[in-house]
Amino acid sequence: MPSATVNSRRPIELLSRLASDEPEVKVRALREVKNQIIGNRTKKLSFLKLGAVPAVAGILADSADDVMDSNCDNNNVNNILVQSATVLGSFACGFDAGVQAVLDAGAFLNLLRLLSNSNEKVVDAGARALRMIYQSKLAPKYDFLQRKNMEFLISLLNSENENVSGLGASIITHSCKTSLEQKALFDAGILRKLDSLLEGGSLSQRDASLESIAAIFKNNPEVISKFAGPEIGRPLSSVIDLVKDRYPRTRLLACMCLIVIRNTSPHFLQDLGIKTTLIHILLELLDDPGQVGYEAPFAFSSLIAQREDIQKLALEANAIDKLHHHLQKGPLHPRHYEGILLALADMCSKLESCRSKFLSLQVLNLVTDALTDNSADVRTAACICLKSVTRSIKVAALGAICNVVVDFTTRKSIFIQCGGIKQLVELAKSMESAVRSNALWALKNFVFLADNRLKEDVFSELTASMLSSLICDPEPCVQEQALALVRNLVDGYINSIEFVFAEDGLILGAIGRQLQSSSKAEIGIQGMYALCNVASGNEFHKEAVMHQLFPQTGDKNQSYMIKFLLSNDSQLRTATVWTIVNLTCPSSPGASGRLEKLRNAGIVSQLKNMVNDSCVDVKLRVRTVLGQSMGFGDN
Amino acid sequence: MPVRVAEISAPSQVSGTISRHTSPPACTLLSVGQAFSGTQNVSSIQKEEAWRVNVRIQGCDLEHGYLCGTMEALNVPMADTPVVTFWEGEIVDTKNYTFFTGKWDASPEDDKRHWTKFPSFLPLLSQVEIDGGKSLDLSNCPYIFMRWKEQYFVNVGTDCGLTIAGFYYVCFSCSDGSINGFYYDPNSSPFQKLELKSTNEGRSGFSFSSYELQ
C-alpha cells in the first residue's frame, strides 16, 4: 500500500493515482479529490485546469461498461461508480465551468445510465450528480415532446428514491419553457404526480415539485384553469398549505408558485386573505439568513409589481419599514442589497402614500449610499429605486417651490454651477436618439416656470440653431421633446417669447415646418402649444404665428390647422383651439383681421361643427372662440 | 395577461380596475403651472378685510384625484412679506373622493352647507343626499369640485400669527378658469370667500407649460 504522505495529496499526484489499474487506489484517489473540491471553488478550478474532469469521466465510462461484465467484482465497480459520479456532481455544483467540463467530457449519458443500475447507492449518486447539472443554465435541453423522453421522465418521477424523483422535477423546472411543452406535460398527467409529491413526499421532493409546478403554470392560463378548474380545491390548496410550512425554503417556493399562478390568471387567488398571507410570509422570510432571505425580496417584488391593490396592503403591513430596517442593518450581501432596493422601488412605483412613507423614514440616504457600492447590480438597483421614489408629484412640486423662497442658492443654480446644463446640452448632441430625447426632457422640466435668467442660461448654451435642428431631428421622440422645451421657454414672463425670434426666427420657422410635415399627434400637440404660447404675446407675436399657420397668403390652401381640428386626439384639438383663442383675443387690435383670415381658411365654420365636441375641454374653448368672434359682428 | 372572460368572478373592489368614465373632465386651465389671482375675504364682525391671493398649480395627478400647489397671500397685516403656503387638493371624482369630506372636523351637514353655496352644485344635490354622489356621472360637468387643504407655510414660521387649520371647499369653472371657494374652520369666521380668476400674467391670451415625470 502506498503510504500516505503530505505530497500524495497534491492534485497532480492524485490525478496520476486516478489512472492506476488498482481499483482500491482509484477509489481512494477519487475520495481524496472529492474531499478537496467539496465547497471549494478555487480547488475545483485548479483541478479543472489539470484535466481532472475528463479523467474522472473516463473512469466513469469504463466502469459503466464493466458493470455488464459478469467477471467483475461488483463491489469495487459500484464503489468506483459512486465515487466518480459524486466527484463529477461536485464539480458541477454551483460552478458553471464545472458543468461545462462535465458535459464536454461526455459524462452526461453515462450518468443517465447509472439511473437504471441495480445498486441503490449507484442510482443515488448518479441522480445527485445530474441534479447538480440541472441546476445550471448550461444543462442540456430536455425534449419533452418526444414520447420516450416523456416516459423516462415519468419513470423518474415515479421513483421511490427522492434524488431520482427530484431529478425529474429539476428537469422540468429547468427545461420547460414553451406553452407546447407545458401542455404536453399536463396531458401526460405530470401535474397530478407532482401534486402527490407535494402531499406525501419528502422535504426535498416537495420543494422540487413546487418549482416544477410553477414552471408548468408560468404564463399559461389554459393549463392553470384545466388543472385547477372544477377540482380547484385540492391541488391548489396543497400549495396554499405549504405557504405556512415549517421550512423557510418551502414557504418561499410555495409563495413563488402562488405568485406565478396569480400573475398568469389574476382571477384566481383574489381572496384578500391569500394576498395578506403572501405579503406577511414574504416579509418574514426577508429575515431568513442565507439564500432564502436573499431571494425573498425578489419574490416580494414579483407579487407587488404593477399592482396598486397589493402595494396598498403591503404598505399597511409595514413593508417599507421592514425593508428600511434591512437596509439599516448592513453591510449586506450584494444579492440581498439588490433585492431590497428593487422591492422598495416596486413599493414606491405607483402610490404617493408609499413614497411619502419612504421619505418620512429617511430611507433616501441609505439608498443614495448604495449608488457607490462595489456591485454594479446594487448600483443599478439604487438608481431604479431613486427613479421610482422621485416620480412623486408632491416631491416635484416641493422642489419647484424652493424657488419661491430661496433666491439664488436654489438647487437649480447649484446645478448650473456644477456644469449640469452644459452636460445636458452635450447629451442632447448624442448619437443615441434616446439619450438626446431624455436630455431634452430633463431640460424641459428644468426650464418649467423658471425665471428668465435661468432660461437665458439654458438658451445661450443650447443656441437657436441647435434647438431648431433638434426640432427637425430625424427621430420623432426627439422632435417632441425639443418642441416641449420651446413651449416651456416661451411660457411665463412675456419677454421670453423672444427666444423663438432669435437669429431671424430660426426656431419659429422650424416649428412651422415641423407642424406642416409631421403626422404624429404628439408632435402636433407640443408644436401647437408652442405657437399657442407665442400667440399669447403682443400684436407682432400673433402676426408671426399667423404667418407660420398660413404661409401662402391669398391662397385657399388648406392649412394643417383643419387637419388638427379634425384629429381623433382631443389634446391636439384642444391645443389648436387654444391657439385660435389667443389669435382672436379681443383685447388685441389686429384680432378682427386675423379672425377674417381664419374664416377665409374655413376654420370658423369647422369650429362651428365642434360646438358639441365629445371632449369637454375642446367644447368649452370652441365656445370661447365663437363667443369672442361675436364681438366682431360675425354673421 | 389573457383571462377567460367567462371565468371572471365578482368584480374586484379595487379602485381603478373597473373603468368608469364618470370622473370630471380634464381641463387645461387646471393643470400644472396654471396661475390664478384674486381675493380672499377675511372679514369678521369687527371689520371688513380682504387679502390679495395668488395661486399656482404645482402638481396634478387626475387618476388619483390629487393636485397640489401654492397659495400666496399679499397685504397680510401681520406679515411684512407675502405669506406663501403649500396646499394639497382632493378632486371630487366619485372614484377617489366624494362630496363627503369625512375628516378635518367637517360633518356631512357642514359639507352640504358649503357645497350648496355654489350655484353649479345645486343640480347635483339630490343625488349627493342619497349616496354622497358616488353614482354621479361628472364627465360632462363643466365644473370641478375640490377640497384644498393648506399643509404648511413655505416662507414664514408657524408663529406668524396666521392659521392654516381649516380647508377650502372649491368650485372650479372649466370654461373660464375661475375659482370660487369657502374656507371652513370651526374656529374661524364662517364662509370666508375665495374668488380667483385665471391670470394671463401680462399676456394677451393663455399660455401653457409642460412638466412630466417619466
Side-chain angles (χ1 to χ4, degrees):
Chain A
M1 300 276 183
S3 56
T5 65
V6 174
N7 282 343
S8 73
R9 294 172 70 202
R10 277 187 317 154
I12 294 255
E13 283 273 346
L14 285 173
L15 286 187
S16 71
R17 285 173 37 223
L18 281 177
S20 161
D21 282 328
E22 292 179 56
E24 279 160 15
V25 173
K26 255 209 268 271
V27 168
R28 260 207 291 273
L30 283 170
R31 275 213 186 94
E32 194 50 48
V33 172
K34 175 187 78 179
N35 291 339
Q36 288 197 26
I37 65 174
I38 224 168
N40 190 326
R41 202 188 154 89
T42 318
K43 274 279 164 67
K44 285 182 193 178
L45 200 51
S46 44
F47 271 100
L48 212 72
K49 287 184 179 161
L50 293 173
V53 173
V56 176
I59 295 174
L60 177 70
D62 293 340
S63 305
D65 288 339
D66 286 347
V67 171
M68 312 313 263
D69 184 350
S70 52
N71 285 338
C72 249
D73 174 0
N74 272 340
N75 212 26
N76 270 335
V77 171
N78 286 339
N79 275 338
I80 291 176
L81 287 176
V82 168
Q83 293 307 323
S84 51
T86 308
V87 168
L88 290 174
S90 209
F91 270 115
C93 182
F95 186 50
D96 272 355
V99 173
Q100 196 61 59
V102 170
L103 294 173
D104 289 344
F108 187 76
L109 282 174
N110 285 322
L111 286 169
L112 271 180
R113 282 166 70 189
L114 296 183
L115 298 180
S116 34
N117 192 287
S118 54
N119 183 296
E120 203 40 51
K121 288 195 177 136
V122 170
V123 168
D124 205 67
R128 273 185 211 248
L130 287 165
R131 281 188 85 177
M132 302 300 181
I133 293 173
Y134 268 100
Q135 270 164 26
S136 162
K137 283 194 285 288
L138 298 175
K141 166 83 184 154
Y142 196 85
D143 188 357
F144 300 104
L145 302 176
Q146 283 211 44
R147 208 177 109 191
K148 63 179 172 67
N149 285 352
M150 190 63 88
E151 284 169 2
F152 182 66
L153 184 65
I154 293 173
S155 73
L156 293 178
L157 289 171
N158 280 331
S159 168
E160 295 276 304
N161 181 310
E162 71 174 34
N163 279 312
V164 175
S165 57
L167 171 62
S170 294
I171 291 175
I172 297 172
T173 305
H174 171 270
S175 285
C176 175
K177 300 280 181 221
T178 69
S179 51
L180 224 59
E181 288 168 334
Q182 289 167 326
K183 184 163 188 305
L185 287 163
F186 174 81
D187 288 340
I190 300 276
L191 273 171
R192 288 206 194 291
K193 183 64 210 167
L194 290 172
D195 180 55
S196 69
L197 287 176
L198 281 186
E199 303 245 305
S202 68
L203 169 62
S204 136
Q205 283 172 326
R206 285 202 296 276
D207 283 356
S209 296
L210 285 168
E211 285 185 290
S212 308
I213 291 173
I216 298 177
F217 282 157
K218 192 169 185 186
N219 295 329
N220 196 325
E222 214 186 295
V223 168
I224 292 180
S225 65
K226 270 197 197 160
F227 182 64
E231 307 151 44
I232 181 172
R234 247 207 64 226
L236 216 47
S237 69
S238 321
V239 181
I240 293 173
D241 286 341
L242 288 173
V243 165
K244 299 211 177 127
D245 191 79
R246 59 193 169 115
Y247 292 103
R249 186 157 187 268
T250 308
R251 294 201 292 279
L252 179 64
L253 292 172
C255 287
M256 286 165 71
C257 190
L258 288 181
I259 293 169
V260 161
I261 293 173
R262 196 183 187 277
N263 287 352
T264 305
S265 295
H267 52 283
F268 284 118
L269 305 173
Q270 280 285 31
D271 180 72
L272 181 64
I274 298 266
K275 294 184 208 173
T276 317
T277 303
L278 285 170
I279 291 169
H280 281 285
I281 301 279
L282 286 171
L283 287 177
E284 235 173 43
L285 286 171
L286 288 178
D287 292 328
D288 203 83
Q291 278 301 114
V292 172
Y294 301 164
E295 293 307 316
F298 291 95
F300 182 74
S301 280
S302 66
L303 173 64
I304 66 173
Q306 309 300 326
R307 293 185 200 259
E308 272 188 43
D309 56 328
I310 307 205
Q311 288 163 17
K312 221 186 215 142
L313 290 171
L315 178 66
E316 285 160 24
N318 295 324
I320 298 190
D321 301 72
K322 297 199 166 117
L323 292 164
H324 175 218
H325 176 66
H326 279 273
L327 282 186
Q328 282 176 313
K329 280 202 299 205
L332 292 162
H333 183 276
R335 180 82 178 148
H336 200 205
Y337 208 173
E338 186 195 348
I340 303 273
L341 289 167
L342 290 175
L344 278 167
D346 279 312
M347 275 302 289
C348 297
S349 59
K350 290 193 174 277
L351 294 174
E352 200 60 38
S353 47
C354 289
R355 294 179 198 131
S356 290
K357 181 76 177 174
F358 178 99
L359 292 167
S360 72
L361 289 174
Q362 304 188 327
V363 193
L364 196 58
N365 295 335
L366 295 170
V367 175
T368 44
D369 284 347
L371 287 173
T372 48
D373 193 84
N374 285 330
S375 156
D377 287 334
V378 170
R379 294 196 299 272
T380 307
C383 289
I384 293 172
C385 188
L386 286 172
K387 186 171 162 182
S388 188
V389 171
T390 54
R391 248 144 127 208
S392 163
I393 284 175
K394 181 168 164 179
V395 169
L398 291 173
I401 290 161
C402 273
N403 296 337
V404 171
V405 187
V406 188
D407 218 0
F408 45 73
T409 47
T410 59
R411 285 169 18 229
K412 282 188 179 177
S413 45
I414 292 174
F415 185 70
I416 294 175
Q417 283 164 38
C418 294
I421 297 297
K422 284 191 160 59
Q423 297 258 33
L424 284 174
V425 172
E426 270 312 300
L427 291 171
K429 298 178 192 163
S430 162
M431 296 288 284
E432 298 273 344
S433 64
V435 176
R436 292 199 297 282
S437 156
N438 280 323
L440 287 169
W441 188 315
L443 285 165
K444 164 188 84 182
N445 281 356
F446 196 78
V447 302
F448 172 79
L449 297 186
D451 67 43
N452 227 50
R453 199 176 49 190
L454 216 104
K455 286 183 179 173
E456 273 165 12
D457 283 343
V458 172
F459 192 74
S460 62
E461 200 62 47
L462 261 175
T463 75
S465 56
M466 183 179 167
L467 198 41
S468 42
S469 66
L470 286 167
I471 289 171
C472 302
D473 190 278
E475 292 299 319
C477 60
V478 178
Q479 296 164 15
E480 185 187 344
Q481 294 308 322
L483 287 165
L485 170 54
V486 172
R487 169 185 175 178
N488 283 3
L489 274 174
V490 299
D491 185 27
Y493 180 51
I494 197 173
N495 282 5
S496 54
I497 295 180
E498 296 305 319
F499 287 125
V500 298
F501 292 100
E503 295 184 45
D504 261 340
L506 259 183
I507 293 177
L508 193 59
I511 299 173
R513 281 197 305 280
Q514 199 54 258
L515 287 177
Q516 188 89 276
S517 59
S518 175
S519 54
K520 281 177 173 281
E522 298 78 32
I523 307 232
I525 293 167
Q526 298 307 328
M528 220 50 224
Y529 271 120
L531 288 184
C532 164
N533 292 354
V534 174
S536 67
N538 60 31
E539 269 302 300
F540 172 73
H541 301 144
K542 291 174 201 274
E543 284 303 316
V545 170
M546 288 297 285
H547 185 69
Q548 287 304 320
L549 296 174
F550 306 101
Q552 274 115 325
T553 48
D555 196 345
K556 288 244 173 146
N557 216 5
Q558 201 191 61
S559 163
Y560 53 80
M561 296 277 276
I562 300 274
K563 191 176 75 170
F564 288 175
L565 288 171
L566 290 169
S567 164
N568 283 332
D569 190 309
S570 62
Q571 281 188 68
L572 181 52
R573 298 198 302 278
T574 308
T576 311
V577 183
W578 271 123
T579 309
I580 300 170
V581 167
N582 288 349
L583 290 170
T584 56
C585 184
S587 58
S588 274
S592 58
R594 288 188 284 277
L595 183 63
E596 200 51 43
K597 274 211 183 88
L598 289 166
R599 191 176 293 123
N600 290 341
I603 297 213
V604 177
S605 49
Q606 171 56 32
L607 287 176
K608 286 181 179 162
N609 290 337
M610 294 165 72
V611 287
N612 286 314
D613 193 286
S614 58
C615 172
V616 174
D617 214 2
V618 175
K619 181 167 78 177
L620 293 171
R621 308 314 148 213
V622 164
R623 292 180 185 195
T624 304
V625 175
L626 296 175
Q628 277 171 185
S629 70
M630 300 283 217
F632 298 117
D634 181 30
N635 20 329
Chain B
M1 307 283 176
V3 173
R4 289 223 193 121
V5 173
E7 281 170 6
I8 292 180
S9 49
S12 164
Q13 302 304 310
V14 174
S15 93
T17 55
I18 301 174
S19 174
R20 291 165 66 205
H21 298 289
T22 56
S23 301
C27 179
T28 29
L29 289 173
L30 190 72
S31 56
V32 184
Q34 288 307 298
F36 306 83
S37 69
T39 56
Q40 171 157 350
N41 151 295
V42 292
S43 302
S44 59
I45 301 169
Q46 286 94 7
K47 59 182 160 102
E48 289 252 331
E49 200 182 329
W51 298 344
R52 277 182 14 248
V53 172
N54 293 325
V55 165
R56 192 183 293 279
I57 313 285
Q58 299 281 359
C60 195
D61 176 2
L62 290 179
E63 208 200 306
H64 293 101
Y66 174 87
L67 73 163
C68 63
T70 47
M71 199 180 267
E72 182 188 24
L74 303 139
N75 65 282
V76 177
M78 291 148 267
D80 40 13
T81 61
V83 175
V84 181
T85 55
F86 172 74
W87 55 267
E88 290 182 292
E90 300 177 342
I91 299 174
V92 177
D93 56 10
T94 70
K95 184 177 79 166
N96 293 291
Y97 301 103
T98 67
F99 283 97
F100 291 134
T101 309
K103 53 186 180 243
W104 302 331
D105 283 333
S107 68
E109 290 312 311
D110 294 317
D111 292 332
K112 271 201 292 243
R113 231 194 328 266
H114 285 82
W115 294 124
T116 47
K117 290 186 81 69
F118 300 116
S120 48
F121 173 76
L122 296 172
L124 312 174
L125 175 60
S126 53
Q127 193 59 46
V128 171
E129 295 203 281
I130 297 173
D131 63 2
K134 276 201 281 276
S135 49
L136 280 170
D137 179 355
L138 297 172
S139 57
N140 279 309
C141 185
Y143 296 93
I144 297 178
F145 298 94
M146 301 174 268
R147 282 179 288 270
W148 289 0
K149 172 96 178 91
E150 289 166 286
Q151 299 291 3
Y152 29 82
F153 292 100
V154 174
N155 65 338
V156 298
T158 45
D159 53 356
C160 62
L162 300 167
T163 175
I164 53 171
F167 69 96
Y168 293 89
Y169 290 89
V170 176
C171 175
F172 169 84
S173 160
C174 303
S175 52
D176 63 2
S178 62
I179 294 178
N180 286 292
F182 291 100
Y183 186 64
Y184 172 73
D185 175 4
N187 299 321
S188 300
S189 312
F191 303 120
Q192 290 179 41
K193 194 159 201 263
L194 181 69
E195 286 171 281
L196 306 169
K197 291 203 175 351
S198 179
T199 35
N200 297 340
E201 299 179 284
R203 291 179 177 237
S204 155
F206 296 87
S207 118
F208 304 94
S209 270
S210 157
Y211 189 92
E212 287 173 298
L213 301 171
Q214 266 198 347

